[in-house]
Amino acid sequence: MDEDVTAVTAGLVCAHHHLYSSLARGMPPPPKVPANFLEILENVWWRLDTALDLDMIEWSAKLAALDALEAGTTAIIDHHESPRAIEGSLSVIADAVNEVGVRINTNYGITDRHGVDGAARGLAENDRYLTELAAAGTSQSGLRAGMVGVHAAFTCSDDSLAAAADLAARHGVGVHIHVAEGPDDIGVEDRIRDLTRDDWLLIHGVHLPTDHGLRGTIVHNPRSNMNNSVGYADPARFSNRVALGTDGIGADMLAEFQLAYVKQRDQDVSATPDAAWSWMASGWELFPEALADSVSWSYSTIEPWHVAFTPTIRAIDVDINGEPALRDGVATRVDADEVRAKAAEQAVRLHRALES
């Protein structure tokens, strides 16, 4: 492609993803039509994560990483749960994503929904993976990282929340937690305020008061919030740093930026694309290694006022960690057709498990 019609940027960052959700496409309908957000969790996502095994986790991660790469996203911050396949799951995810060439920061979202033992096993997996990362040292530097995950405070006891915060502090990482996504988590700020630190990721924040007093980065997921009908977070009202995620609906960060802008504009006619662009750019502060990656695009000007009104901008070439990962829109490190075929096989297995 001619240089005068090609823009080059750093790799984009998805600040909140659920890689396992890539197998949810085309899943059978839930046993009942959800009438609220809690019923969406109970009848869709909590059923799905319980059905996952390590093979499903591997291929869902590869598929999601491939989708991210093709969208110019070179770094993903993932939040994982698979209560029947906990041990080793984070290493499976990291290996799968790195095989595609994409950078990954992942964690296991602990919860007391499966009892005290379930929460303990989740903490143990976070501890195991973070210990593994520390032992690997510079050999994995920049390609994989980790945090301690918490599903959401309303599914955890105070003891579990404190244990997650303690484990994160011992490993020198933050906690990655869903916060006030729906009405069932209203008041969460009073439970976690004294635990939070600047390196925490606070996902959603839809029902947080403006002066909530929590430390950390709020990650806005406009497409997911609209899809779940939980309301508008209005992230511009917060004094915290704001980043942009997808909550598992792909990793096309230019498309997520466009929607974030349109949703903000829907609420405030004076809003410009600059705020939503700054939220997307915050991903580089969370995953700075992506700044060393390069993406060439199918459009000549990658800046907020152009991208906000230009559909179907595609990544053409991507280099990650100094090595080619995408050329002419085609992945160089994996066979994209094979990844999609294998992921489709695992999706069939998952959907059959859900039907039964």
Side-chain angles (χ1 to χ4, degrees), residues 90-311:
L90 299 183
S91 297
V92 168
I93 290 168
D95 288 344
V97 173
N98 285 167
E99 184 177 336
V100 177
V102 173
R103 304 177 189 273
I104 180 68
N105 178 323
T106 190
N107 64 83
Y108 192 88
I110 73 160
T111 178
D112 287 301
R113 296 196 324 269
H114 308 285
V116 174
D117 179 65
R121 290 173 61 218
L123 280 170
E125 176 60 8
N126 284 301
D127 189 27
R128 183 203 63 77
Y129 176 67
L130 291 167
T131 301
E132 178 183 276
L133 290 180
T138 57
S139 66
Q140 298 296 342
S141 178
L143 290 175
R144 61 175 74 182
M147 301 181 74
V148 173
V150 175
H151 176 266
F154 80 94
T155 72
C156 290
S157 67
D158 289 341
D159 287 344
S160 291
L161 293 173
D166 177 68
L167 180 63
R170 284 191 279 123
H171 281 283
V173 300
V175 169
H176 186 164
I177 177 175
H178 299 94
V179 173
E181 180 177 6
D184 302 279
D185 207 25
I186 288 176
V188 58
E189 64 276 6
D190 293 330
R191 297 186 61 201
I192 66 173
R193 184 177 294 113
D194 292 340
L195 298 174
T196 60
R197 297 293 182 266
D198 292 339
D199 56 2
W200 280 42
L201 292 185
L202 312 171
I203 312 304
H204 299 296
V206 175
H207 295 277
L208 276 180
T210 300
D211 298 323
H212 50 74
L214 302 181
R215 295 166 62 183
T217 299
I218 292 175
V219 183
H220 181 42
N221 303 268
R223 189 181 310 270
S224 172
N225 293 161
M226 295 168 72
N227 182 59
N228 287 324
S229 193
V230 293
Y232 181 48
D234 190 13
R237 65 193 170 96
F238 296 122
S239 60
N240 305 66
R241 175 172 58 191
V242 176
L244 203 58
T246 65
D247 202 33
I249 308 179
D252 187 337
M253 299 314 298
L254 294 188
E256 200 72 29
F257 150 73
Q258 290 168 337
L259 187 60
Y261 161 62
V262 170
K263 183 60 182 175
Q264 186 186 22
R265 181 79 170 192
D266 181 52
Q267 301 292 314
D268 177 7
V269 72
S270 68
T272 74
D274 296 314
W277 191 263
S278 74
W279 304 336
M280 186 179 71
S282 290
W284 290 317
E285 299 177 54
L286 301 174
F287 218 137
E289 292 82 359
L291 287 167
D293 303 332
S294 66
V295 182
S296 63
W297 300 94
S298 62
Y299 188 68
S300 61
T301 308
I302 303 298
E303 61 86 37
W305 285 86
H306 275 254
V307 176
F309 305 103
T310 306

Side-chain angles (χ1 to χ4, degrees), residues 56-94:
M56 296 173 189
I57 292 166
E58 175 187 1
W59 288 99
S60 64
K62 285 183 183 178
L63 176 60
L66 178 62
D67 289 342
L69 175 64
E70 292 176 345
T73 298
T74 66
I76 296 168
I77 303 178
D78 176 48
H79 190 283
H80 179 68
E81 292 180 45
S82 54
R84 293 184 179 175
I86 297 177
E87 185 176 359
S89 59
L90 299 183
S91 297
V92 168
I93 290 168

